[in-house]
Each structure stands twice: as structure tokens, then as C-alpha cells.
Amino acid sequence: MKSFNHRRAISAALIGMAMLGTIGTARAEIKDYEFQLVDQTVQAGADKIIAVRLVNKKTGKPVPDAVIFATRLDMAPDGMQEMATKVTPVPGGEPGLYKFKATLGMAGRWQLSLGAKVQGETGAVENKLVVTAQK
């Protein structure tokens, strides 16, 4: 009877230690992710493509399958936030690459505001990127 209780106690201790070991495992936090422009400049005009990567800043690896729930493109950097344009998602092609089609009506600095949900993480990634439209 005593050996049975000892086995149960040892089993419980091993399970407890295994559970404690998983607590210390480092997980990414939402602040560890960011969008980065692929190109800082694009040509002004209709149906231009802006490409961004979503990366884990700690590992440098691209983050695929994020759910983009907010997009806005305006000229806030040049003091014209009312100068906004429609942004349409376009298939990216490679993991972690996200593309958007927009009409950049004039040359200048345009701010692309993005919000995304990363699979398995709590919270949202939110970034504001400035792309320059050139004639």
C-alpha cells in the first residue's frame, strides 16, 4: 500500500514539474510583430500596388495567415488626412506578404494604417507606414 502511495506522489510531482516547465516557455507578444514596407516609394496614379510584410521582430521571420481587419490610406504626413483613398487587398503570393491596390491621386507622402490579428495571439498589430508616391 505504501509503495502505491509513493508511486502516485512521484507521478504527481513529475506532472507538476512538467507543467512548471511549460510556464517558462517564451511566447511572442503582440508587440513583437510589425508591418514593414517592401518598397518605400511607388508611382502616383491609379491601381498601384503597395506591398508590406508582417514579421516577428524577435525572429525576423514572416508571419503568414494574419487577418487584416483595418486599412486606411491618406495623406496625413503632408497635413491632408482628408485626402483618403480606397484600399483593396490583393493576393500576396508568398507567406507573410500582404499587397494592397490603391489609387494615389497625387505625389507626396501617404500613410498606410493597418490593423491585423495574428493567429494564436491576443490583441492586434497596428502600424502606420509612410510610403512616398512619385510622379
Side-chain angles (χ1 to χ4, degrees), residues 112-132:
L112 178 62
S113 302
L114 297 170
K117 175 76 175 121
V118 174
Q119 302 296 326
E121 297 293 341
T122 303
V125 178
E126 295 179 11
N127 287 126
K128 295 181 186 216
L129 307 169
V130 177
V131 61
T132 303

Side-chain angles (χ1 to χ4, degrees), residues 4-124:
F4 180 71
N5 286 336
H6 284 258
R7 259 190 249 150
R8 285 180 62 191
I10 290 172
S11 294
L14 289 173
I15 291 170
M17 289 181 357
M19 291 176 72
L20 284 175
T22 60
I23 290 173
T25 303
R27 284 192 38 115
E29 295 182 25
I30 205 68
K31 65 179 176 147
D32 295 332
Y33 299 95
E34 73 177 357
F35 283 102
Q36 300 172 344
L37 286 169
V38 172
D39 292 312
Q40 302 289 321
T41 60
V42 295
Q43 291 296 314
D47 297 331
K48 299 303 176 184
I49 301 296
I50 300 171
V52 298
R53 286 194 201 298
L54 179 59
V55 297
N56 180 318
K57 294 188 289 186
K58 286 187 174 181
T59 65
K61 292 184 179 180
V63 179
D65 303 323
V67 177
I68 311 273
F69 63 83
T71 57
R72 179 175 167 85
L73 185 62
D74 60 40
M75 291 193 78
D78 286 344
M80 296 183 282
Q81 50 271 36
E82 68 279 353
M83 180 85 163
T85 189
K86 182 180 175 186
V87 180
T88 305
V90 177
E94 64 184 72
L97 183 66
Y98 302 88
K99 294 181 181 179
F100 305 95
K101 181 171 59 171
T103 296
L104 301 148
M106 62 187 290
R109 294 178 300 158
W110 291 79
Q111 179 173 278
L112 178 62
S113 302
L114 297 170
K117 175 76 175 121
V118 174
Q119 302 296 326
E121 297 293 341
T122 303

